[in-house]
Amino acid sequence: MVINFAAGPAKLPEEVLKEAQANLINCNGTGISVMEMSHRSANYAAIHEKALNDLRELLNIPSNYKILFMQGGGTGQFAAVCYNLMGRTNVADYVVTGSWSAKAAKEAEQYGKVNLVVPKVKKYTTVPTQDTWKLDPNASYVYYCDNETVDGVEFDFVPVLTNDVPIVCDMSSNFLSRPVDVTKFGVIFAGAQKNIGPAGVTVVIIREDLIGHHMKGTPSILHFEKMAKSDSLLNTPPTFCIYMMGLVFKWIERNGGVSGMAKMAAVKSKIIYDVIEHSNGFYSCPVEKRVRSRMNVPFRIGGAEGVGVLEKEFLSQAERQGMIQLKGHRSVGGIRASLYNAITVAEAEQLSDVMTDFYLSNKNTN
Ligand code: PMP
């Protein structure tokens, strides 16, 4: 038995994988795999449309928002957002609360002026409350990352702006893990490979009036207007990824929708944070409690900086019990347990058992 705690590409629901397997060489009775279908065929169109409609329903996306299926991952969107929106005033606000929003801000510097809304820090452990933010009233948009996958920092609020500057949000690693009021956002984007499917497709949800403000020279592949006009069929879309994502959408529907996912996420993350909290500092999570991620739980063993040998031993002990991909991101070290939608409560409990056992047998050695 293997339990995959990877940060992404990450675990997919077994039910979805089995359904894909059963349909692999004869998709929906066509006699061919979805990978072998023309993206202009009626059979593929039905898959594409269904995925779009199911997502609209799951997140309650209003009709004045377009849903795009794009390529280039979250990183592609770091640039796409600038190409399509930054030219309005040539300045944008970036709320940097972790490694991914930092990367997005760095990318944006190539296209215009980046206003850093919160002070630069060496270690990301919190989301400064909005009353401390230094927003530029002239910004084309305010950008933030809802869940920082590397650092384990997750917003516990949606910013409220008193002007009509649109909010752009990277939800790559907590997409469809809780209800979201889409009307509060100008753009939401998410790479699929954590909560909703395989790597290769990126969902973009954009308010219609924000389409059409692209810079001169915007590449067609990153062009929101061209993508919207062609129903994301400007070129060959990642058909298999979209098919898989559609199966995941139906699985979420069957499992209580996004509020069902949110309930599960609260339970699973509490199980792991409780072990950390009750370990007398043996395990430590640097993130301020208020904004601890429900999706990615980073922790150290043996104090705030971690004790290398203990962390190594923990990882091999967990691996011997089938729990894999628990190593922290290479930039921060330590351990990281990712608890995306497909991880079950029982699997989180198994990890907490391993953590408790490891604590009891090693608490006196550090
Ligand atoms: N944003 C977040 C929050 C991420 O976690 C990642 C990838 N882990 C990215 C953006 C970049 O995505 P990609 O690798 O698909 O470009």
Side-chain angles (χ1 to χ4, degrees), residues 169-213:
C169 188
D170 175 0
M171 291 193 191
S172 293
S173 53
N174 64 355
F175 194 60
L176 301 189
S177 75
R178 61 182 173 190
V180 165
D181 180 356
V182 173
T183 64
K184 292 186 171 163
F185 297 88
V187 178
I188 293 170
F189 70 83
Q193 67 268 28
K194 288 113 179 20
N195 263 325
I196 53 168
V201 61
T202 308
V203 170
V204 180
I205 301 167
I206 177 163
R207 211 176 65 213
E208 267 169 2
D209 63 289
L210 296 173
I211 295 174
H213 301 280

Side-chain angles (χ1 to χ4, degrees), residues 260-301:
M261 297 299 116
K263 272 188 211 138
M264 291 258 293
V267 172
K268 290 179 289 183
S269 54
K270 184 172 187 311
I271 289 170
I272 305 303
Y273 285 119
D274 276 353
V275 179
I276 296 172
E277 288 298 299
H278 298 139
S279 70
N280 292 313
F282 180 78
Y283 294 116
S284 59
C285 170
V287 181
E288 193 188 325
K289 265 192 181 171
R290 171 177 68 86
V291 290
R292 282 185 176 173
S293 170
R294 304 157 309 129
M295 299 285 110
N296 313 95
V297 183
F299 62 91
R300 305 298 311 228
I301 305 179

Side-chain angles (χ1 to χ4, degrees), residues 107-264:
E107 180 79 15
E109 280 170 6
Q110 302 185 98
Y111 303 95
K113 183 170 170 277
V114 169
N115 174 47
L116 294 178
V117 171
V118 297
K120 268 192 184 170
V121 288
K122 283 211 179 76
K123 278 192 174 171
Y124 300 106
T125 58
T126 192
V127 174
T129 53
Q130 205 195 316
D131 56 320
T132 66
W133 294 9
K134 299 222 162 29
L135 295 166
D136 183 338
N138 191 39
S140 293
Y141 55 86
V142 175
Y143 179 104
Y144 76 98
C145 175
D146 206 31
N147 183 67
E148 286 285 357
T149 323
V150 171
D151 313 278
V153 174
E154 186 174 26
F155 268 68
D156 63 338
F157 63 94
V158 176
V160 177
L161 304 181
T162 50
N163 50 23
D164 56 5
V165 175
I167 295 176
V168 175
C169 188
D170 175 0
M171 291 193 191
S172 293
S173 53
N174 64 355
F175 194 60
L176 301 189
S177 75
R178 61 182 173 190
V180 165
D181 180 356
V182 173
T183 64
K184 292 186 171 163
F185 297 88
V187 178
I188 293 170
F189 70 83
Q193 67 268 28
K194 288 113 179 20
N195 263 325
I196 53 168
V201 61
T202 308
V203 170
V204 180
I205 301 167
I206 177 163
R207 211 176 65 213
E208 267 169 2
D209 63 289
L210 296 173
I211 295 174
H213 301 280
H214 44 271
M215 292 177 186
K216 203 163 163 259
T218 298
S220 300
I221 195 71
L222 296 178
H223 200 296
F224 289 163
E225 187 178 58
K226 288 185 182 172
M227 278 291 164
K229 279 195 174 149
S230 62
D231 288 325
S232 307
L233 289 160
L234 178 82
N235 68 328
T236 317
T239 50
F240 184 70
C241 298
I242 292 169
Y243 163 77
M244 288 296 292
M245 200 167 62
L247 298 186
V248 173
F249 294 159
K250 286 194 283 179
W251 175 85
I252 294 175
E253 251 165 50
R254 291 196 297 277
N255 287 277
V258 284
S259 37
M261 297 299 116
K263 272 188 211 138
M264 291 258 293

